[in-house]
Amino acid sequence: MPLVQLRRPSTASPDSEVALGGALMDRQSRTVRYLRVSLTDRCNYRCTYCMPEEGLVYGPRTDVLSLEEVVRVCEAFARWGVTRVRLTGGEPTLRRGLVSLVERLAALPTVEPARRLEVVMTTNGERLAELAEPLARAGLRSLTVSLDSLDPERFGRITRRGTLERVLGGVEAASRAGLWPLKINTVAISGFNDDELASLVRWAWERDVVPRFIELMPMASGELYVPGELLPAAEIRARVEEGLQTALVPDEGEGVRGAGPASYWRAVGGAFDGRRLGTIAALTENFCSSCNRLRISATGQLHACLARDDTGDLRSALRSQDPDRLERVVRAALGTKRDAHGFNIDGTGGPTKAMVSIGG
Ligand code: SAM
Ligand code: SF4
């Protein structure tokens, strides 16, 4: 069971008929290469769009996958073709043993000759000042830090518990430690930070950091979502173009799409010519047809899609005596992966779980 439970999800049962072996390909011929692993669904922040302030229900700690189990599951996925693992949460830096976990994961072989598993992480940055250097030494390849405002009062308001100064110090530490490419994730919210979009981009580009804007998603049955607050990606880019006197064109260097859900744009003209910016626009620029991801919650639930409640129980599989059970559960869950998410702009169609409990 997930630790933060708003309603009971549906669970895909393992199918003993499922064929084992080979790459992880779904019914739409999308191949899974990217696994997002939540290390905890606890957090030291309470971002308004991600977590309710109160009323969180946590199960027993034994429900959470042990680090040993996380390594086992990543090792298996690497054997089936996954080349990149993103550690997330909740707040992954709260997980004890994080640095040695990164070291073990980064040493895992993949199906590609001489290529080790690429381990990256998304964090709120609160604990980064002390962790950036050890994480870099352990083999973390790159880092994304969430940053919704450069205004200390606003930052405190959106995160309910965060300190802007600590996060900015964390970004600097990550940059000094060589955690590159360094990215920032900003959830763009109309009426909250829409007047700051260009300044956030300027701040990032001046530090060789890649800014990315995320459209608000209606998680948790839309309970934390206010429809009028959604800022479409096209409008986000238009505001940046206007604020920084530049044009943004699809980035051809690495293709418009990166390895994940973001589409990348390049500045042409102006003081920041050539710099890149990402937008993650689940609602207005659907990217489901190129989805290459699966997600594992801290309690070992496999989510074929962030926006759906379908799950497969990896924890029971890992704790069973049957050596093939894990693979059967994974392939059965992959078989349930839908063509597209069901998010609607009015806040309906999303999963019952909050982002914090699936692992964003
Ligand atoms: N605690 C870490 C952090 O904040 O970076 C990692 C987990 S957090 C769930 C991952 C990302 O999801 C963050 O960048 C956060 O801004 C984003 N996020 C959370 N809830 C969201 C929502 N309802 N819509 C869009 N993005 C959301
Ligand atoms: Fe915590 Fe990240 Fe969610 Fe904010 S977005 S509450 S930091 S998990």
Side-chain angles (χ1 to χ4, degrees):
M1 277 237 288
L3 299 183
V4 180
Q5 175 91 26
L6 298 171
R7 257 195 261 144
R8 187 179 288 275
S10 66
T11 303
S13 51
D15 181 350
S16 50
E17 298 300 308
V18 84
L20 304 184
L24 294 174
M25 193 187 284
D26 71 8
R27 288 173 306 172
Q28 290 79 31
S29 302
R30 296 171 297 191
T31 303
V32 175
R33 303 244 177 256
Y34 184 179
L35 184 66
R36 300 181 67 109
V37 179
S38 171
L39 296 182
T40 174
D41 50 12
R42 302 186 183 223
C43 191
N44 42 0
Y45 287 8
R46 291 285 183 277
C47 300
T48 55
Y49 48 74
C50 175
M51 263 177 114
E53 187 159 23
E54 287 167 9
L56 303 175
V57 182
Y58 294 104
R61 294 242 177 213
T62 48
D63 279 1
V64 172
L65 294 190
S66 68
L67 296 184
E68 203 53 52
E69 287 168 335
V70 171
V71 174
R72 270 174 65 203
V73 91
C74 290
E75 194 267 333
F77 272 94
R79 251 192 348 258
W80 302 324
V82 161
T83 53
R84 162 188 269 221
V85 166
R86 178 167 299 276
L87 302 177
T88 180
E91 178 44 42
T93 60
L94 298 182
R95 184 72 194 252
R96 235 181 265 159
L98 172 67
V99 174
S100 61
L101 174 70
V102 168
E103 198 166 8
R104 292 177 69 188
L105 295 181
L108 291 174
T110 68
V111 288
E112 294 181 22
R115 180 167 174 187
R116 302 274 153 192
L117 195 62
E118 187 182 334
V119 185
V120 301
M121 188 171 81
T122 302
T123 173
N124 62 26
E126 180 79 19
R127 300 201 58 218
L128 205 48
E130 50 274 28
L131 280 171
E133 184 66 47
L135 284 170
R137 263 189 274 119
L140 191 76
R141 280 281 284 279
S142 75
L143 195 63
T144 302
V145 181
S146 298
L147 180 64
D148 294 333
S149 176
L150 289 170
D151 176 285
E153 184 276 324
R154 277 186 189 180
F155 186 82
R157 190 149 38 96
I158 196 87
T159 61
R160 293 199 185 104
R161 302 192 179 174
T163 326
L164 178 64
E165 207 184 338
R166 279 191 63 78
V167 176
L168 298 186
V171 172
E172 263 174 44
S175 172
R176 272 198 310 275
L179 286 169
W180 197 92
L182 193 52
K183 300 176 200 147
I184 55 163
N185 271 359
T186 301
V187 180
I189 305 172
S190 184
F192 170 70
N193 57 6
D194 47 347
D195 58 344
E196 273 195 80
L197 306 182
S199 0
L200 276 155
V201 172
R202 178 190 297 280
W203 181 91
W205 282 347
E206 283 174 351
R207 286 160 182 78
D208 208 11
V209 169
V210 180
R212 306 193 321 166
F213 292 103
I214 310 179
E215 281 181 357
L216 205 52
M217 288 177 249
M219 307 293 291
S221 306
E223 282 172 34
L224 308 171
Y225 177 86
V226 183
E229 288 184 343
L230 176 90
L231 208 54
E235 196 175 328
I236 295 170
R237 292 190 296 267
R239 291 195 190 207
V240 171
E241 286 178 317
E242 191 189 343
L244 296 183
Q245 293 295 294
T246 188
L248 290 170
V249 298
D251 186 38
E252 285 158 18
E254 298 171 41
V256 178
R257 283 231 166 270
S263 66
Y264 283 94
W265 302 76
R266 187 166 37 87
V268 179
F272 296 105
D273 188 59
R275 297 283 178 172
R276 296 170 78 228
L277 167 149
T279 46
I280 300 173
L283 280 100
T284 67
E285 293 168 7
N286 188 294
F287 44 73
C288 295
S289 64
S290 63
C291 182
N292 60 355
R293 296 171 287 290
L294 289 177
R295 302 178 136 79
I296 302 177
S297 76
T299 54
Q301 298 302 308
L302 183 74
H303 289 265
C305 173
L306 171 70
R308 305 269 187 188
D309 283 324
D310 316 326
T311 59
D313 184 0
L314 299 192
R315 187 182 65 218
S316 305
L318 283 162
R319 294 178 187 177
S320 81
Q321 300 304 315
D322 175 355
D324 291 335
R325 176 99 185 268
L326 180 69
E327 183 169 357
R328 282 207 309 272
V329 177
V330 169
R331 292 187 189 273
L334 187 62
T336 69
K337 193 167 164 75
R338 323 275 187 101
D339 297 8
H341 67 66
F343 287 138
N344 297 311
I345 280 175
D346 65 2
T348 59
T352 58
K353 285 183 173 179
M355 189 75 94
V356 68
S357 57
I358 297 183

